Amino acid sequence: MTDSILSKAATMEIPINSNGDTRTAEDDSLEQGAQIGGSLDEIVGTLPVAMDLQQVMVSGPNLNETSIVSGGYGGAAEGIIPTSSIKDIRSKSRGITPSNSAASRIANQPGHYPAPSMHHSNSNPMMSEEATRGVAVEKFDSVKKWSINTYKCTKQMFSERFGRGTRTVDMELEAQIDVLRETKLKYECILRLARDLTNHFYNMVQTQQALGDTFADLSQKSPELQDEFGYNAETQRLLCKNGETLLGAINFFVSSINTLVNKTMEDTLMTIKMYENARLEFDAYRTDLEELSAGPRDAAAMIRIEMAQQQYQIQKDKYERLRSDVTIKLKFLDENKVKVMHKQLLLFHNAISAYFAGNQQQLEQTLRQFNVKLKPPGSDKPSWLEEQ
């Protein structure tokens, strides 16, 4: 093959180096690229050599059938790269994909490690799709159960309203719940009136304070009535001071009643509401079980009866648990109510009596007895930073 190239390309000048070797620097670069592993970047760097060979060897044999020998004439065949591979690489550099890609041949050479694939496997989309489907099925089951439960409870509620259905009634517990609701209404009335008293009395104390300041100012500007204005100013200041002490006692009373009504009683009523909903669900599933038990007893009906029996047992356990919770909370609420109201009513009575009797020492002693701490004067006013 080499002799054929030399005979047909007689006009071609082939430089000879100092060792008599006909290889050029470009051939050495091709040999090095093939020995390293056929990296595409290094082989592409030899493209100018392949293009020069095509332009010079016009009359030579078909380049598709020739080979570039990197090991010299008669050397081993390990470093032989077909010129068709160079054409494929050049085509790829121009954006053309040949049928026999050089990259596929280079990838099959020993010592070549293929680049990692940038594409993700198809397992991740499948897993995400299965997870999404599982979530959708779970939501569908939840909506289905909620719809069935709502239908049964609504049916039971209308049946009770129109007198067709029966309901489970605990007479003793129902009576205690009714008493609690009535008591809460009355305590709310006490709380509202105590707040009104606090607002009115606060306005009266502010008026007394303004009146006392006016009397004191006039006593300085009216020498002929200095003593009279002075006595009245002192009296109004004393009343204002005792009024602030009484306001502290009333505010403590209002705060305690508010906690009892809007927190303690309200918490018990929330548990009672949950108990009533559980009672409605229990009666709904009980009615459903009774209707299924009264029907035919084929195989499908027996499966439905068994499922209804399971749901009935679940609702029954829930109903009994909440009924027990309501009973316990009502008991503790009654004990707490008696303890709180005994203390607060005694405080309110002693404070009001001491104030209107003019007994300042007894009024202060009452507040110390019930550990009522008064706010310092001017503490209700915002600071100058808050006013900005």
Side-chain angles (χ1 to χ4, degrees), residues 102-368:
S104 62
R105 295 192 185 99
I106 295 173
N108 294 328
Q109 291 183 1
H112 178 267
Y113 297 96
S117 177
M118 300 300 293
H119 299 283
H120 297 285
S121 61
N122 295 329
S123 59
N124 291 336
M126 294 179 62
M127 292 175 61
S128 61
E129 184 179 355
E130 291 178 357
T132 305
R133 186 180 302 136
V135 172
V137 170
E138 184 179 356
K139 289 184 177 180
F140 177 77
D141 293 340
S142 177
V143 172
K144 181 180 178 182
K145 292 179 181 179
W146 176 83
S147 301
I148 294 174
N149 185 70
T150 303
Y151 169 74
K152 292 180 181 295
C153 293
T154 305
K155 180 181 177 182
Q156 177 65 24
M157 182 177 62
F158 278 105
S159 298
E160 293 177 3
R161 292 276 181 90
F162 291 104
R164 302 177 198 171
T166 59
R167 55 171 295 180
T168 304
V169 179
D170 189 338
M171 299 299 298
E172 182 180 359
L173 187 59
E174 293 291 336
Q176 294 178 2
I177 293 173
D178 292 339
V179 169
L180 174 60
R181 289 196 171 109
E182 293 178 1
T183 304
K184 186 173 183 292
L185 291 175
K186 294 178 180 179
Y187 277 51
E188 287 175 346
C189 181
I190 293 174
L191 180 61
R192 184 175 62 255
L193 294 175
R195 284 174 174 169
D196 293 340
L197 176 63
T198 303
N199 293 331
H200 296 322
F201 195 76
Y202 174 78
N203 293 330
M204 187 184 74
V205 170
Q206 294 298 316
T207 304
Q208 289 176 342
Q209 184 177 3
L211 187 60
D213 294 340
T214 304
F215 285 156
D217 183 61
L218 288 174
S219 67
Q220 299 294 330
K221 296 180 180 180
S222 302
E224 66 279 4
L225 297 174
Q226 183 177 6
D227 295 337
E228 289 79 0
F229 278 126
Y231 295 151
N232 283 277
E234 188 66 25
T235 302
Q236 294 300 323
R237 287 176 180 174
L238 181 61
L239 290 175
C240 181
K241 180 181 178 181
N242 293 339
E244 290 178 353
T245 306
L246 179 61
L247 275 175
I250 298 177
N251 285 329
F252 186 76
F253 175 81
V254 170
S255 177
S256 300
I257 300 298
N258 179 64
T259 302
L260 178 63
V261 172
N262 293 324
K263 291 185 179 180
T264 310
M265 290 185 177
E266 189 65 28
D267 178 71
T268 305
L269 289 175
M270 288 296 296
T271 308
I272 291 172
K273 186 177 181 180
M274 294 171 59
Y275 157 74
E276 291 175 345
N277 292 335
R279 196 276 311 162
L280 183 64
E281 292 179 357
F282 167 69
D283 285 337
Y285 282 93
R286 176 183 56 80
T287 303
D288 186 45
L289 179 61
E290 291 175 355
E291 291 177 355
L292 290 175
S293 300
R297 294 300 185 93
D298 54 354
M302 292 302 296
I303 294 176
R304 289 196 296 270
I305 291 173
E306 184 178 357
M307 295 177 62
Q309 181 69 33
Q310 294 177 358
Q311 293 295 327
Y312 166 78
Q313 189 63 39
I314 292 173
Q315 297 299 329
K316 182 180 179 181
D317 295 340
K318 180 180 177 182
Y319 165 73
E320 292 179 350
R321 183 179 68 253
L322 286 172
R323 182 177 62 179
S324 176
D325 293 344
V326 170
T327 303
I328 294 172
K329 284 198 172 186
L330 285 173
K331 179 181 178 181
F332 282 108
L333 175 62
D334 187 65
E335 295 176 356
N336 188 29
K337 179 189 66 176
V338 172
K339 184 187 300 184
V340 170
M341 292 307 298
H342 174 76
K343 177 181 178 180
Q344 295 302 320
L345 290 174
L346 188 60
L347 167 66
F348 189 81
H349 173 268
N350 293 343
I352 293 290
S353 301
Y355 174 79
F356 285 100
N359 193 340
Q360 181 181 0
Q361 295 180 354
Q362 183 179 356
L363 180 60
E364 294 176 354
Q365 183 180 358
T366 301
L367 268 65
R368 287 194 300 268

